[in-house]
Amino acid sequence: MSKRHNKRQSDCPDPEDIVAYLRNELDLREQSRVHDHLAGCSSCRAVAENFRGTIDKLENVEEKRLVRDLTPAVLAQIPETAWQQDKDIHFTHRTLFPILMLRLTTCLIVALGSAYVVHRMWQRHHATPPDEGALTHTTTPVLKQHEARKEGLLWLVRVQDSSGKWDPDQWGGRREYTIGLTGMALLSLARSDEDFLKKLKSIDQAVDFLLSQQHIDGRFGDEFDGTMYNHGIATVALLETYGKNKDPDLEEPLRKALDFIRRQQLPSGGWGYRKHSGEMANTSISTWPLQALLISAELGREDEGHALKRGLAWLVGVVDERGQFGYQQPRHFPHGPNALTAMGAYCVLRASKEGIAVDRRLLHQVEQALSMRPPEKPKANFYRTYFQVCALKEADKKQYADSVSDLQQELLSKRQQSGTNKGSWDPQDQWGTVGGRIYSTAMAALSLEGHSVQGL
Amino acid sequence: MQIVPVVLKDINGSTKKMVHYNRHSRIRDMKNSDDYETMPDEQLMVLASRGEKNAFATIVRRHQQALVNFFRRMGVNNNEEDLVQDTFVKLFKFRERYKPSAKFRTFLYFVARRIYVDYVRRQNRERTGAKAFTNHLSVVATVSDASSDQKTRAVEALHTLSEEMRSVVVLNVYQGLRYHEIVEILEIPLGTVKTRMFHALRKLRKAMSHDVEKA
């Protein structure tokens, strides 16, 4: 197995890396590289098969079953006083100290407040008229963005069905995507910090509706070609809702939903329209399950079966040398590269922020592709814009602030500013007939969401 | 939360078997042991360090079986349950050192391995003396011809490895720990983990194919 083996090629991976590959221990780029190499090198494939066989035999050993619960015996060795002592210490740290700090802080605030009042009284007494020629700095663009987003959310709340869902039939979309569209609308509400939403039941009702549509196997919605869109979007929306409110009633449904995602994962690591023999994974479908697994990881859950890692390894495998993401393989762009690149970039950049090892050169190429401006102004596409904004924000660099701002300004110019649908967006893009006004408004509101790029 | 399988009509009007979640029937009592069952280990450990005995008891119940098999695969015979108890007692003593940002299982196996090493040292002091410690960590067992059963051969093969190699294999293959977690548990570099894993699997393949005697 040494590197001097005369059948090995010069680009063969080190055997230790073959073992690490089998154990899913390489970073995404390396995992993908070794995977591709094994497909074309019979010598390394034989090495991998040998090790795999050994690991299979090792895994197939019997366990020794415990015949009794050791908990009473363990607890008997810990003195009772230790528990009470911990409670006392915790009480002191968590209750007495904060009370003391609160009192000190209150005194400080009162003192500062008094000083401020005295200062203002003195200023008023000695004030001079303002300079009429002075420039006034406004935050008008930011205010417009905030107002537009708020109006979009208000529109969504207004048109929500009493069952909790958003009905595509009424708004120009397709009925079979009710789950996904409800998920999109819920996501836009859940991600927002608007005060008015906290007083309404819109989020709760949407959650209740989605939960009512979950099957025993964890799937949200009926089975059809668009299942993974519906299920993926609903799971992401519920995960983000859970991330905010930590509602324990969501834990079991989410566990089942994530298990369903893992079961639908194709052997290649991505996700396709259906799980059956011959199905190929594609970036459009894979993006939503990957986001769900990423959020799950961010919430501290295990990456069971290495589903997230395998999914990301598949995803980086469709990146070409220019950092663009293909549909099913590199340089495969049935509808152009921009939307796919935005979706893929968002997942990869988010994964990198989560601490998952991603090749630095790949990240740089992806960011380059993401920030490239096309030669002509592209046609409107709410879906693409949403992922572009998310990906650029995830890259989190000052030089992308203008790009984010441009995308958001473009959205503002398309908003309906009067009439019964004031605050919403016309579904005038290639997915408009699928998602309708719910889709266009939810995606636009999400794109205008204001977490900043380096202080923007 | 009450979970009841029901038959509902979907948005298209056809019936199907769904799951009904009665979200508003839940009694939120943080002292209820059912709540602890769904809590992650990290949260339980924090609660345990604040005097919540039931939280610690949940940790014990959750991990005791895995620890028994960890000690067994490391080569302990008949004393596994004692070592498991020692591990949890030591875990409790170390509770102040645990940081919730760190993975709990990494911390647990760090403690467990310390318990194992102390056990081996004690065993050897009782037998012959300090010199025997190094020998014992290296020696291990023989894979005999008589063990035709594949599972037994696998276990015996495992015991032909040195302690350093066996630790890496047991922690990764059986306890499901990642290389970077093993780095923290064994306090060795990542490259060393990779190398030991590779050499261990080579030796195991040979041991399971032929008779091997190591001293």
Side-chain angles (χ1 to χ4, degrees):
Chain A
M1 220 78 56
S2 74
K3 285 184 180 176
R4 294 187 295 276
H5 195 291
N6 58 12
K7 289 185 182 170
R8 288 169 56 82
Q9 302 161 37
S10 59
D11 63 343
C12 288
D14 193 67
E16 291 179 10
D17 284 341
I18 294 180
V19 170
Y21 161 80
L22 292 172
R23 303 305 295 157
N24 273 306
E25 291 290 346
L26 298 175
D27 69 37
L28 297 173
R29 187 72 166 194
E30 272 304 296
Q31 196 84 6
S32 186
R33 188 185 77 78
V34 172
H35 178 83
D36 290 343
H37 179 84
L38 292 179
C41 178
S42 57
S43 172
C44 288
R45 215 163 41 243
V47 167
E49 281 308 313
N50 277 330
F51 280 121
R52 191 176 278 127
T54 304
I55 294 167
D56 286 346
K57 283 178 193 169
L58 281 175
E59 284 175 345
N60 190 22
V61 296
E62 278 171 5
E63 289 193 342
K64 176 173 176 173
R65 302 303 303 173
L66 263 177
V67 294
R68 63 183 179 113
D69 180 9
L70 299 176
T71 311
V74 168
L75 294 179
Q77 296 179 60
I78 298 170
E80 279 299 319
T81 49
W83 302 109
Q84 190 54 48
Q85 198 175 349
D86 279 352
K87 281 186 179 163
D88 291 343
I89 291 170
H90 178 60
F91 174 76
T92 305
H93 284 152
R94 290 297 299 259
T95 309
L96 289 186
F97 284 165
I99 288 174
L100 202 58
M101 288 308 297
L102 187 64
R103 286 184 179 166
L104 282 172
T105 308
T106 307
C107 291
L108 193 61
I109 289 172
V110 166
L112 285 173
S114 305
Y116 178 73
V117 164
V118 166
H119 174 69
R120 290 290 293 165
M121 284 170 64
W122 188 86
Q123 270 191 329
R124 235 177 250 159
H125 184 69
H126 292 89
T128 53
D131 181 355
E132 290 182 356
L135 287 171
T136 308
H137 177 65
T138 70
T139 56
T140 308
V142 175
L143 209 61
K144 274 188 179 168
Q145 180 186 319
H146 173 79
E147 286 304 314
R149 187 181 81 244
K150 189 174 170 182
E151 282 192 356
L153 296 175
L154 278 167
W155 183 86
L156 284 168
V157 166
R158 215 164 55 237
V159 305
Q160 186 181 20
D161 196 73
S162 57
S163 66
K165 72 175 187 281
W166 279 266
D167 189 353
D169 271 349
Q170 293 186 34
W171 299 105
R174 282 163 47 179
R175 178 191 282 201
E176 56 268 36
Y177 287 104
T178 298
I179 304 280
L181 291 167
T182 298
M184 268 185 199
L186 170 61
L187 186 62
S188 65
L189 299 184
R191 232 180 236 184
S192 168
D193 286 326
E194 293 288 346
D195 284 333
F196 75 86
L197 286 171
K198 291 171 190 162
K199 296 172 195 160
L200 300 173
K201 290 195 171 142
S202 306
I203 290 177
D204 268 354
Q205 285 173 337
V207 168
D208 283 345
F209 171 75
L210 288 176
L211 294 188
S212 76
Q213 298 300 308
Q214 188 173 39
H215 291 254
I216 294 279
D217 64 355
R219 185 181 80 242
F220 288 111
D222 295 333
E223 195 165 357
F224 74 115
D225 275 352
T227 288
M228 285 315 294
Y229 277 121
N230 275 342
H231 181 82
I233 294 171
T235 306
V236 166
L238 288 170
L239 277 166
E240 292 223 7
T241 306
Y242 173 76
K244 278 240 172 113
N245 64 18
K246 295 290 190 292
D247 181 357
D249 288 345
L250 288 178
E251 285 170 14
E252 179 63 13
L254 282 170
R255 185 191 64 74
K256 291 162 77 88
L258 290 164
D259 281 347
F260 179 79
I261 283 175
R262 290 183 194 105
R263 288 199 304 276
Q264 294 304 302
Q265 192 170 25
L266 296 170
S268 61
W271 287 263
Y273 284 98
R274 300 257 197 181
K275 189 172 182 189
H276 56 56
S277 169
E279 176 70 21
M280 284 185 72
N282 69 73
T283 301
S284 285
I285 294 266
S286 298
T287 296
W288 289 102
L290 272 172
Q291 285 178 75
L293 292 172
L294 274 165
I295 300 170
S296 173
E298 286 160 12
L299 291 170
R301 293 183 183 214
E302 291 262 0
D303 180 19
E304 291 177 37
H306 307 297
L308 173 60
K309 203 159 187 193
R310 289 191 293 125
L312 289 166
W314 174 85
L315 187 64
V316 303
V318 302
V319 180
D320 64 20
E321 64 284 352
R322 297 170 69 185
Q324 294 177 314
F325 287 76
Y327 182 63
Q328 289 173 333
Q329 56 203 18
R331 292 176 294 283
H332 178 212
F333 311 122
H335 299 288
N338 296 329
L340 295 170
T341 297
M343 290 177 216
Y346 179 46
C347 291
V348 165
L349 289 165
R350 196 168 179 175
S352 175
K353 263 210 179 149
E354 175 54 21
I356 297 171
V358 180
D359 185 76
R360 290 224 166 271
R361 206 172 55 179
L362 176 94
L363 280 177
H364 179 71
Q365 286 167 340
V366 164
E367 280 189 31
Q368 294 279 80
L370 188 63
S371 58
M372 249 178 9
R373 292 297 207 203
E376 295 169 5
K377 189 175 168 183
K379 286 185 191 166
N381 185 324
F382 292 98
Y383 204 66
R384 183 194 64 227
T385 298
Y386 165 68
F387 280 107
Q388 282 176 326
V389 167
C390 286
L392 287 166
K393 284 181 174 177
E394 210 59 48
D396 200 20
K397 288 183 177 144
K398 271 203 172 113
Q399 66 252 40
Y400 300 141
D402 284 345
S403 301
V404 171
S405 180
D406 288 348
L407 287 166
Q408 291 174 331
Q409 290 304 310
E410 185 66 25
L411 278 173
L412 289 178
S413 68
K414 293 183 164 51
R415 192 167 62 104
Q416 190 142 353
Q417 302 200 44
S418 59
T420 51
N421 290 321
K422 180 183 171 189
S424 69
W425 275 260
D426 288 343
Q428 298 294 326
D429 74 2
Q430 71 184 104
W431 307 116
T433 53
V434 177
R437 192 171 288 267
I438 307 293
Y439 147 77
S440 49
T441 304
M443 288 279 105
L446 281 163
S447 303
L448 293 172
E449 191 58 40
H451 55 272
S452 66
V453 175
Q454 293 260 345
L456 175 71
Chain B
M1 177 172 64
Q2 196 181 12
I3 302 173
V4 179
V6 293
V7 175
L8 294 177
K9 284 190 190 292
D10 73 352
I11 50 171
N12 294 319
S14 52
T15 56
K16 59 206 42 218
K17 198 169 182 185
M18 309 290 274
V19 181
H20 177 61
Y21 296 104
N22 186 355
R23 290 207 301 151
H24 304 293
S25 69
R26 184 180 170 82
I27 298 169
R28 294 170 199 272
D29 177 5
M30 289 305 293
K31 304 274 193 241
N32 188 326
S33 61
D34 288 344
D35 295 314
Y36 290 134
E37 294 304 323
T38 56
M39 266 186 209
D41 293 331
E42 290 73 19
Q43 197 173 345
L44 287 170
M45 195 63 196
V46 168
L47 287 172
S49 69
R50 292 176 189 173
E52 294 288 339
K53 192 196 276 192
N54 285 335
F56 192 72
T58 305
I59 287 175
V60 175
R61 278 194 300 274
R62 200 179 273 182
H63 293 283
Q64 57 185 342
Q65 177 64 65
L67 278 178
V68 162
N69 285 302
F70 166 72
F71 287 118
R72 187 125 176 102
R73 286 159 189 152
M74 289 302 293
V76 176
N77 274 318
N78 302 320
N79 291 319
E80 304 95 331
E81 291 189 7
D82 289 342
L83 296 188
V84 169
Q85 291 182 50
D86 289 347
T87 301
F88 285 120
V89 172
K90 194 148 208 160
L91 185 75
F92 180 77
K93 283 185 183 154
F94 280 176
R95 62 197 183 285
E96 297 301 327
R97 293 194 204 181
Y98 174 69
K99 302 278 177 285
S101 54
K103 268 247 167 103
F104 171 78
R105 281 197 337 141
T106 309
F107 188 61
L108 176 67
Y109 282 97
F110 176 80
V111 173
R113 190 172 171 273
R114 285 273 185 95
I115 295 287
Y116 169 74
V117 169
D118 289 346
Y119 165 77
V120 168
R121 284 192 174 127
R122 272 198 317 273
Q123 292 286 95
N124 284 287
R125 272 200 300 274
E126 284 163 15
R127 280 190 204 125
T128 45
K131 198 174 176 184
F133 171 64
T134 312
N135 289 342
H136 181 78
L137 286 182
S138 299
V139 162
V140 200
T142 305
V143 180
S144 66
D145 221 1
S147 317
S148 56
D149 175 60
Q150 181 60 58
K151 292 178 185 180
T152 313
R153 287 175 73 80
V155 172
E156 287 180 352
L158 201 56
H159 295 165
T160 66
L161 295 177
S162 67
E163 189 273 337
E164 288 87 2
M165 286 195 201
R166 197 171 351 116
S167 295
V168 172
V169 173
V170 169
L171 288 170
N172 182 251
V173 174
Y174 296 106
Q175 312 310 124
L177 290 153
R178 309 302 309 278
Y179 280 11
H180 68 269
E181 293 173 306
I182 297 172
V183 161
E184 291 181 46
I185 293 167
L186 301 182
E187 297 177 299
I188 55 177
L190 181 64
T192 308
V193 174
K194 282 173 79 174
T195 305
R196 286 188 189 175
M197 188 71 177
F198 164 66
H199 287 294
L201 289 178
R202 278 182 68 193
K203 289 193 172 190
L204 286 167
R205 194 175 75 230
K206 278 187 189 162
M208 286 190 280
S209 314
H210 309 286
D211 292 343
V212 176
E213 268 194 38
K214 284 197 181 284

